[in-house]
Amino acid sequence: MSTTGIVEFLTIFVLAAFVGNEVISKVPSILHTPLMSGSNAVHGIVLVGTMLVMGQAHGAVQVTLAFLAVVLATLNVVGGFVVTDRMLEMFKAKPADRAAKGAGQSKGGSASGAADGGAK
Amino acid sequence: MTLATWTDLVYLVAAVGFIYALKGLSSPRHARRGNLVGAAAAALAIAFTFSNPALRSSGTNLVLAIVAMVVGAAIAVPTARLVKMTAMPQMVAIFNGVGGGAAALISLTVFLIEDPGKPAVYRIGEVLFGVLVGCVSFSGSAIAFAKLQELMTGRPVTYPGQQVINALVGLAILGLALATLVTGSTPLLVVMAVLALALGVIFVLPIGGADVPVLISLLNAFTGLAVAASGFTLNSNLLIVAGTLVGASGILLTRMMSQAMGRSLPNILFSAFGSVVTAGGGADGSGETRPVKAGTPEDIGVLLAYARKVVIVPGYGLAVAQAQHTIRELADLLTDKGVEVFYAIHPVAGRMPGHMNVLLAEANVPYDELKEMDEANPEMSTADVALVVGANDTVNPAAQTSPGSPIYGMPIIHADQAEHVIFLKRSMRPGFAGIDNELLFDPKTTLLFGDAKDSLTKLVNVVKSS
C-alpha cells in the first residue's frame, strides 16, 4: 500500500471521530446504558475483519488464531445487539402501562416479565 | 462495476447504518429501531463479506469461519437472552472484552501472514496499536466482569509498590514496541501482547467497584480504537469508521459519566482511591459500635401509609434483590392511599448510568414518576419520608461535607433533608465505595435490615392492612 492510501484512511478516521462525537452528544442520560451497549455491538463489526483474516490464514497457527478471532467477534456482535435490544424493549411498554395504571395496579411485574420472555 | 467496488458500497451503507443506529439511541422512541438498523447493517456487511474472493476460495477456512460463527452465536444468543437485567453491566463488559480480543488477534494474525519480510514501519505501528489496545481491553474487561459478577472483591486491590510495578510494565511495553518497530520481530510482538494482557489486569485491579462502570465505558472506547487499528491493518474503511465512531462516542460517554460522579477521569483511574479507603476502614471500626435505630416493618409501613410525600431512592441493592416489581407495588399502593410518590434517581445509581431507569422501566414504573437528581433535590426538604432502598454512597452526606472522603465532590440525593429517612439495607456493610455513611447514625434515620425484596414485601403487607 502506498502512503497515499494511509492518508486516505487517516482522513476517514478523523472525520469519523468528529461524527462519533457529534452523534453522541445529544443522548439523554437515561439512555446511557443502552448507548454503551449499542456502541459495544457496533464495534462487533470487527467480525468482518476476522473473516477477511480467516480468508488469508495459512497453517495451523494462523488458522487457529483466526478461528478464535471469529468466535470472539461473533460473541461481540451477536451478544451486543441482543442485549441492547432487551434493554430497549423495557422502554417500549411505557404508554400502555400508563393507561393500565388507571384501571388497576400491582400486576405490572408479572405482565412485564411475560412480555420479556415472550418477545423474541 | 467490480466486486470490490460493490463490496465497498455495501460497507458504506453499513457504516451509514451504524451512524443512524447511534443517532437512534438519542431518543427513547427511536432507540430500539436504531439498534435494529445497526444489527441489520452489521448483518448486511457480514453477509457480503462472504463474497470476498480470498475467503470464498479458501475451502476449509471458509467452513471453519462458518463453524466459528455458529459457535459464537450459539453461546451469545442464550447468554444475552437469559441474563438478568441486574447483570447487564458485566454482560456489556464481557462482550466488549471479546471484541477487543478479536481486534488484537486480527492485528497479530495479519502480522504473521505478512511475515517473513519486514513490513513498512507504519504497518508495524498499526499492528502494535491494535495488539496493545485490544489486549488491554480484553483482560481489563475480564477483571471488570469478575468485579461486577462478584467473582472477586469489588474493593480496590492495592499492594506495595503498585505504582512502580505498573510503571515498569508500561515502560517494558513501550520498549518492546519500539524494538518490534525496528526489527519487525514476531517473538517480541508476542511478548508485548502478553505484557499488554498483564497491563489490562493491573490497570483495573486498583479501581473500586463503584467506578467500574466508568471503566467499562472507557474500555468500550478502547475496543473501538483497537477495531479502528485493525481496520487500518486490513485496509477496511468499514472497520475504521465503526471503530472510530465507538472510540469517539465512548470517550465522550466516559467523560459524561465521570462528570456525573463529580470527579475527573484521571482521578478515577489513577487516584490512590485504595489507600483512602483503607484509612476510612479505621473509622468504620469505631463507627460500627455506634448505635443505629432499627425499626420493624410495622412501624415503617404505617409511617409510609400516613405520609403526604414519599421519595424513593433506589440503589444497586434494589437491583440485586430483584425488588423492582415489589417497590412498584408499594409505590402504587401508597399512591392509591393519596400519598405523593416519586423516585429520585441518582445518575450513577446502580452500576451504570441509567441502570436504575432500565430496571424500573422493566417493572413498568411510569416515566413521570422518575425524577433525575437535579429535579428531585429541591423537593427533598418537603418530603415526609425518604425511602432509601439498597442505596448508600449516592445519599452519603460525606460527599458534600468531608473533603477527606474518597467520594468528596460527588453530587448526592439529599435524602438527609427529608423529615424521616428509612434505609432498607442488608447489613451495616458500607456501600460499594467502601466508606461509612453518617446518615445511618442520624436520629431521624430508621433502618430495616434484610433483603430488599423481603423487606418491601413486608411493607406492602403492612400498608395494605393499614
Side-chain angles (χ1 to χ4, degrees):
Chain A
M1 192 182 67
S2 67
T3 28
T4 359
I6 185 99
V7 172
E8 266 172 39
F9 289 128
L10 267 178
T11 310
I12 293 167
F13 171 77
V14 171
L15 294 181
F18 278 95
V19 173
N21 224 33
E22 214 35 55
V23 168
I24 289 319
S25 57
K26 289 164 196 142
V27 178
S29 70
I30 58 159
L31 283 171
H32 280 173
T33 300
L35 165 65
M36 188 192 291
S37 184
S39 62
N40 175 43
V42 166
H43 67 51
I45 198 61
V46 70
L47 176 57
V48 165
T50 62
M51 289 166 71
L52 295 177
V53 169
M54 189 53 132
Q56 303 166 28
H58 291 286
V61 175
Q62 291 173 15
V63 171
T64 309
L65 290 175
F67 181 84
L68 203 57
V70 177
V71 174
L72 294 182
T74 310
L75 281 171
N76 186 178
V77 71
V78 176
F81 279 116
V82 174
V83 161
T84 312
D85 191 58
R86 268 195 63 196
M87 283 184 194
L88 295 172
E89 216 166 68
M90 305 296 165
F91 287 92
K92 206 187 52 178
K94 287 290 87 54
D97 174 64
R98 223 169 274 170
K101 202 180 168 258
Q105 83 287 328
S106 74
K107 294 282 184 272
S110 53
S112 93
D116 187 20
K120 295 207 94 180
Chain B
M1 281 201 300
T2 63
L3 181 63
T5 314
W6 276 111
T7 311
D8 282 344
L9 282 176
V10 168
Y11 286 170
L12 176 62
V13 171
V16 171
F18 290 148
I19 296 172
Y20 184 85
L22 293 180
K23 200 173 172 54
L25 283 165
S26 57
S27 82
R29 185 178 309 228
H30 301 295
R32 193 157 185 221
R33 195 176 67 197
N35 186 54
L36 291 177
V37 168
L44 177 71
I46 291 160
F48 220 81
T49 306
F50 279 108
S51 74
N52 178 270
L55 180 65
R56 227 177 4 176
S57 58
S58 66
T60 351
N61 284 19
L62 177 62
V63 178
L64 281 174
I66 295 170
V67 171
M69 289 166 80
V70 171
V71 170
I75 301 171
V77 172
T79 316
R81 188 67 53 71
L82 298 176
V83 65
K84 283 186 270 176
M85 286 308 285
T86 43
M88 279 310 177
Q90 50 266 52
M91 271 299 117
V92 176
I94 205 72
F95 288 140
N96 171 58
V98 292
L105 285 172
I106 287 181
S107 298
L108 181 62
T109 315
V110 169
F111 191 76
L112 294 178
I113 290 170
E114 292 188 354
D115 219 35
K118 183 178 170 303
V121 168
Y122 71 84
R123 298 283 294 154
I124 308 179
E126 291 161 8
V127 168
L128 284 170
F129 189 83
V131 170
L132 173 61
V133 179
C135 284
V136 168
S137 180
F138 177 74
S139 61
S141 298
I143 299 295
F145 173 83
K147 284 193 180 221
L148 290 180
Q149 190 71 20
E150 289 171 4
L151 298 175
M152 61 177 287
T153 170
R155 300 288 187 89
V157 176
T158 51
Y159 43 87
Q162 193 161 25
Q163 309 285 27
V164 179
I165 293 173
N166 290 9
L168 283 178
V169 173
L171 280 176
I173 288 175
L174 198 64
L176 282 166
L178 285 174
T180 314
L181 214 50
V182 174
T183 61
S185 149
T186 310
L188 283 180
L189 178 67
V190 173
V191 176
M192 194 206 74
V194 173
L195 276 180
L197 287 172
L199 181 67
V201 173
I202 60 178
F203 171 65
V204 174
L205 276 180
I207 296 174
D211 291 335
V212 167
V214 182
L215 176 82
I216 295 176
S217 175
L218 184 69
L219 292 174
N220 187 39
F222 277 11
T223 302
L225 293 177
V227 170
S230 56
F232 275 93
T233 309
L234 289 166
N235 302 339
S236 162
N237 281 339
L238 178 64
L239 261 59
I240 295 176
V241 171
T244 312
L245 277 176
V246 176
S249 68
I251 287 168
L252 188 63
L253 179 60
T254 310
R255 282 219 325 261
M256 292 195 282
M257 287 164 70
S258 39
Q259 270 163 16
M261 301 178 80
R263 318 231 319 267
S264 74
L265 189 56
N267 180 260
I268 287 174
L269 298 177
F270 304 115
S271 74
F273 202 49
S275 56
V276 179
V277 171
T278 326
D284 271 2
S286 60
E288 273 159 24
T289 59
R290 283 189 287 164
V292 292
K293 191 168 74 189
T296 64
E298 287 70 26
D299 299 338
I300 295 166
V302 169
L303 179 66
L304 289 172
Y306 291 95
R308 278 175 299 113
K309 189 170 178 179
V310 173
V311 182
I312 298 169
V313 186
Y316 188 67
L318 177 87
V320 171
Q322 287 287 302
Q324 62 268 37
H325 298 296
T326 324
I327 191 91
R328 187 220 144 125
E329 197 182 345
L330 179 66
D332 285 346
L333 275 173
L334 291 172
T335 309
D336 286 352
K337 286 188 178 291
V339 183
E340 186 189 345
V341 182
F342 70 87
Y343 299 78
I345 312 287
H346 192 277
V348 295
R351 293 203 177 161
M352 287 189 146
H355 194 188
M356 277 302 131
N357 301 74
V358 172
L359 278 168
L360 292 171
E362 188 197 358
N364 289 327
V365 171
Y367 269 144
D368 47 15
E369 286 180 18
L370 302 181
K371 294 198 180 177
E372 303 279 328
M373 179 176 62
D374 294 337
E375 199 188 339
N377 269 340
E379 295 204 36
M380 294 309 290
S381 55
T382 61
D384 298 305
V385 183
L387 180 63
V388 183
V389 186
N392 193 349
D393 299 328
T394 55
V395 296
N396 191 341
Q400 307 284 304
T401 55
S402 96
S405 167
I407 58 167
Y408 183 69
M410 180 175 89
I412 58 162
I413 297 204
H414 290 289
D416 51 329
Q417 290 175 1
E419 205 178 328
H420 298 275
V421 184
I422 312 285
F423 271 93
L424 303 191
K425 276 178 75 64
R426 268 181 300 182
S427 65
M428 280 304 287
R429 217 173 56 106
F432 217 32
I435 42 178
D436 238 353
N437 190 346
E438 277 301 314
L439 188 55
L440 294 174
F441 307 103
D442 195 292
K444 69 182 175 191
T445 299
T446 312
L447 281 83
L448 180 55
F449 288 111
D451 173 78
K453 194 172 187 173
D454 293 344
S455 299
L456 284 168
T457 310
K458 286 176 195 156
L459 289 179
V460 165
N461 292 333
V462 175
V463 171
K464 262 184 193 160
S465 58
S466 62

